[in-house]
Amino acid sequence: MSKRIAEILRSGNPGETLEIRGWVRTKRELKEFTFVEVNDGSSLANLQVVLNPELPDYSTIVKQLNTGAAVSVTGVLVESPAKGQRIELKAATLTLYGDADPETYPLQKKRHSFEFLRDIAHLRSRTNTLGAVFRVRNACATAIHQFFQERGFLWVHTPIITASDCEGAGEMFAITTLNLKDIPRTPTQDIDYTKDFFGKPAYLTVSGQLEAEIMALAFSNVYTFGPTFRAENSNTSRHLAEFWMVEPEMAFCDLQGDMDLAEAFLKHIFKYVVETCPEDMEFFNQRIDNTVLATADNIINNQFERITYTEAIDILEKADKKFDYPVEWGLDLQSEHERYITEEVFKKPVIVTNYPVGIKAFYMRLNDDGKTVAAMDVLAPKIGEIIGGSQREERLDVLEGRIKAQGLDVSNYWWYLDLRRYGSVPHAGFGLGFERAVQFMSGMGNIRDVIPFPRAPMLVDF
């Protein structure tokens, strides 16, 4: 019976006969036997396999067992005399599924830079670090679904292709079936979109929020979890052109309820990952960032501080520190400002609320002062903003005015405005960039290393 290595290392017993399948990490030949470390991706640790000369075709097999080779091994678990491992597998049979030429296989037993590994994204998941990243990513995704499903939220699948710009920023990938070598034109020389597939301009979505609002006003509590796209020409360690977003939306909910849910949500996913992937998290703490476990504990066991944007500006203006970016009421907070507030002032996560209307999206509810909106950002030590959300504008006239004020075409949002005409209610939601969360949990320095196949400017391979 084939078993995963993680299960064997956790609960396998000497005398148990079983089969493993995986890839060779290392080989060590001695005079009387050969040690082979095999990994199947289920665990950071390998299972040591002992090959004796009695094994059929021993000499031939040993020569072919290079790093990267795919094998299946049957045998009996025995107690291991080696330090640091409880059991090992004494092989009875070994099948080589695919060898790996040691002259060309790029993942030999040495440290490789993350930059180099991005160039071989088809193989980098076999490394310890990326293996740990993607197990944590999986656990984080599981925790997200668990959190919402236990609270009765409906998971909705929002469209990837859209005609609406949710954020109003215009940084969208256009999609078309038009022949770019012979683009049809109108008499005024504009692009004739009536000849295109959808008959109008279409884009890859930047957010599923607007559609989630539709569903929330029928099912009360919903969430999206899917890919989103930003055509932002940004080559930084914190930006991707394709990334996943988690966006809950709650009817009959205000900003207070939005903040409460966001805090409980972050605590839940961090706690789940720490409990589910202790070996991987300890690896990150030792090899990547020695504050990973302390950061997780800070999220899980602290009540988040809550301050207004105006209070945040006041704190920054009084700070005994010079910032690279200006601090002024009406300007957005930069990462350095957010990190100062969380790391040096409160030393824990902080939720900042009620931002100036001029720096936030049209759908955020206008406060009674006419100058701020009912928005909230969750700021975390070491990363800054990790969640952004708001109470949505439920008043038809105010929403129409906000759309026009941002220079958007009201006719594109006719259906969104209908939600305010027919059974409008106070509602709220937030968005979490999934890769940002995984990067934060793992301590990885570049967001391109927490998604299997990163998409960024000039990067679309694999």
Side-chain angles (χ1 to χ4, degrees):
M1 175 183 175
S2 177
K3 278 193 173 183
R4 301 303 301 275
I5 287 174
E7 181 185 354
I8 295 168
L9 294 173
R10 183 171 57 249
S11 57
N13 295 307
E16 188 177 350
T17 299
L18 48 77
E19 177 188 13
I20 64 166
R21 299 167 183 167
W23 292 266
V24 173
R25 286 289 177 88
T26 65
K27 175 181 68 174
R28 185 158 55 96
E29 292 184 63
L30 303 178
K31 286 184 178 180
E32 298 180 356
F33 39 76
T34 297
F35 292 121
V36 178
E37 298 275 340
V38 178
N39 190 287
D40 64 0
S42 64
S43 167
L44 183 66
N46 309 317
L47 179 63
Q48 180 165 280
V49 177
V50 183
L51 307 179
N52 292 312
E54 294 82 29
L55 191 73
D57 299 320
Y58 173 81
S59 297
T60 303
I61 286 174
V62 167
K63 288 180 181 178
Q64 295 175 308
L65 289 182
N66 299 306
T67 299
V71 298
S72 71
V73 185
T74 60
V76 178
L77 289 179
V78 296
E79 291 185 7
S80 176
K83 185 179 179 180
Q85 57 187 35
R86 184 176 63 88
I87 52 176
E88 59 190 22
L89 183 64
K90 184 177 181 181
T93 67
L94 186 148
T95 301
L96 178 67
Y97 282 104
D99 59 5
D101 184 351
E103 298 297 322
T104 58
Y105 184 60
L107 293 176
Q108 295 302 315
K109 190 181 178 183
K110 64 177 182 178
R111 284 180 177 264
H112 300 285
S113 71
F114 293 128
E115 291 79 6
F116 168 75
L117 293 176
R118 282 176 220 134
D119 291 334
I120 54 166
H122 58 305
L123 296 172
R124 68 174 183 164
S125 299
R126 302 185 190 183
T127 64
N128 285 339
T129 302
L130 275 297
V133 165
F134 296 136
R135 281 187 295 272
V136 164
R137 182 183 172 102
N138 173 72
C140 186
T142 300
I144 286 167
H145 285 297
Q146 182 188 75
F147 177 85
F148 290 118
Q149 292 295 324
E150 287 178 352
R151 286 162 176 76
F153 279 65
L154 186 77
W155 181 23
V156 298
H157 303 96
T158 52
I160 289 174
I161 299 173
T162 181
S164 301
D165 180 0
C166 174
E167 298 297 329
E171 295 169 335
M172 304 178 75
F173 286 102
I175 61 170
T176 183
T177 58
L178 295 176
N179 181 355
L180 299 184
K181 294 181 180 179
D182 185 20
I183 298 175
R185 299 284 180 177
T186 66
T188 57
Q189 291 305 300
D190 293 321
I191 296 173
D192 186 357
Y193 282 105
T194 64
K195 303 292 195 301
D196 206 352
F197 188 90
F198 293 107
K200 61 170 64 175
Y203 310 92
L204 295 179
T205 186
V206 299
S207 169
Q209 178 202 311
L210 302 189
E211 291 84 2
E213 287 186 52
I214 294 175
M215 302 301 282
L217 294 181
F219 296 97
S220 297
N221 293 333
V222 304
Y223 70 105
T224 76
F225 188 3
T228 52
F229 308 85
R230 299 280 170 92
E232 184 178 0
N233 191 14
S234 182
N235 262 307
T236 77
S237 62
R238 300 179 69 234
H239 289 87
L240 290 167
E242 177 184 316
F243 54 97
W244 285 61
M245 284 284 288
V246 183
E247 297 174 296
E249 200 70 33
M250 297 81 67
F252 307 100
C253 182
D254 59 11
L255 186 63
Q256 182 68 40
D258 204 28
M259 290 190 288
D260 291 344
L261 189 80
E263 180 170 346
F265 172 65
L266 278 182
K267 290 178 183 295
H268 176 86
I269 61 175
F270 269 83
K271 186 172 188 290
Y272 183 91
V273 169
V274 168
E275 292 177 350
T276 305
C277 303
E279 184 184 38
D280 295 317
M281 292 297 286
E282 182 61 40
F283 172 84
F284 292 131
N285 204 68
Q286 290 182 2
R287 300 292 185 89
I288 304 298
D289 180 347
N290 62 10
T291 66
V292 161
L293 293 178
T295 298
D297 181 73
N298 196 359
I299 294 284
I300 296 166
N301 295 312
N302 267 317
Q303 183 175 351
F304 294 9
E305 191 70 32
R306 300 185 182 189
I307 62 174
T308 65
Y309 166 87
T310 301
E311 289 169 336
I313 292 296
D314 186 55
I315 290 170
L316 294 167
E317 287 178 335
K318 294 177 180 177
D320 186 20
K321 180 176 182 176
K322 182 173 176 59
F323 297 106
D324 293 332
Y325 290 89
V327 175
E328 180 183 329
W329 201 99
L331 299 180
D332 208 354
L333 300 181
Q334 301 298 316
S335 180
E336 61 172 345
H337 305 143
E338 296 167 344
R339 292 190 60 177
Y340 174 79
I341 290 170
T342 56
E343 295 171 24
E344 300 188 40
V345 178
F346 294 104
K347 297 179 171 58
K348 63 178 181 178
V350 178
I351 304 179
V352 179
T353 62
N354 299 327
Y355 282 79
V357 65
I359 61 174
K360 288 298 182 180
F362 69 87
Y363 51 75
M364 297 185 178
R365 193 182 199 278
L366 190 65
N367 288 327
D368 292 342
D369 61 13
K371 298 189 300 181
T372 62
V373 291
M376 65 100 179
D377 285 346
V378 181
L379 314 181
K382 302 185 73 65
I383 195 170
E385 181 194 343
I386 191 170
I387 281 178
S390 73
Q391 184 173 339
R392 315 311 189 190
E393 182 56 74
E394 84 279 11
R395 297 164 295 185
L396 176 62
D397 58 335
V398 178
L399 182 59
E400 284 181 324
R402 296 275 282 122
I403 293 174
K404 291 175 182 176
Q406 294 206 5
L408 301 174
D409 187 347
V410 175
S411 65
N412 288 337
Y413 299 90
W414 64 271
W415 52 270
Y416 190 65
L417 294 169
D418 266 2
L419 299 177
R420 278 68 179 172
R421 294 187 177 99
Y422 311 123
S424 182
V425 301
H427 59 289
F430 62 79
L432 169 79
F434 184 53
E435 283 75 22
R436 283 270 178 94
V438 177
Q439 185 184 11
F440 184 36
M441 287 178 175
S442 62
M444 294 295 288
N446 196 310
I447 199 167
R448 299 181 190 190
D449 298 323
V450 299
I451 188 170
F453 308 105
R455 298 290 180 256
M458 310 306 291
L459 183 61
V460 74
D461 294 330
F462 309 104

